[in-house]
Amino acid sequence: EVQLQASGGGSVQAGGSLRLSCAASGLNFDDYAIGWFRQAPGKEREGVSCTSAADGSTFYSDSVRGRVTASSDNAKSTAYLQMNSLEPEDTAVYYCAAAFEDADPCPLILVQTDQLIDYWGQGTLVTVSS
């Protein structure tokens, strides 16, 4: 069956870096856009990024733009989220998700998340201390 396994979370101090991984199995990785989302304590789920399978272009949310970089290794069916200059406000459980790319979902995925996401990973916790 389809699985998305998020990993790489941990505890870091403000200004530090982490790289999250999302290993996909059971699906054709090239057919799916990969989104990253997060949910902080007491807050609603927030979109972080979305990378299109077609050309690898990525949309970033305003809150992380300039500090994070999404990438992927198609041969390994794995997506990555490199996070730098982390802030306490980045503390959250981070989820990766896959959206079938019949048409590019990334322009709308941050606002139509539930309508576009086909599969969710289990999440990995990122804690940033000041």
Side-chain angles (χ1 to χ4, degrees):
E1 65 179 20
V2 173
Q3 287 189 308
L4 298 175
Q5 298 292 335
S7 61
S11 298
V12 298
Q13 292 185 313
S17 299
L18 285 173
R19 189 179 74 160
L20 308 183
S21 298
C22 177
S25 62
L27 57 78
N28 185 355
F29 191 77
D30 294 336
D31 288 338
Y32 290 82
I34 301 297
W36 288 93
F37 301 82
R38 66 186 183 184
Q39 188 162 23
K43 295 186 177 181
E44 297 294 320
R45 182 185 63 202
E46 177 187 15
V48 176
S49 70
C50 183
T51 300
S52 297
D55 59 7
S57 61
T58 301
F59 288 80
Y60 297 100
S61 66
D62 291 340
S63 62
V64 303
R65 187 175 294 110
R67 300 188 297 114
V68 308
T69 302
S71 62
S72 61
D73 185 339
N74 288 2
K76 297 181 178 180
S77 296
T78 300
Y80 304 94
L81 189 71
Q82 177 69 44
M83 304 191 295
N84 303 317
S85 301
L86 286 165
E87 305 167 354
E89 292 75 20
D90 296 316
T91 295
V93 176
Y94 284 72
Y95 302 89
C96 62
F100 184 72
E101 202 167 78
D102 51 353
D104 185 7
C106 285
L108 295 174
I109 203 167
L110 299 183
V111 294
Q112 297 184 7
T113 307
D114 293 334
Q115 290 74 35
L116 294 171
I117 294 297
D118 294 297
Y119 306 104
W120 288 95
Q122 86 287 358
T124 184
L125 177 63
V126 171
T127 302
V128 184
S129 59
S130 60

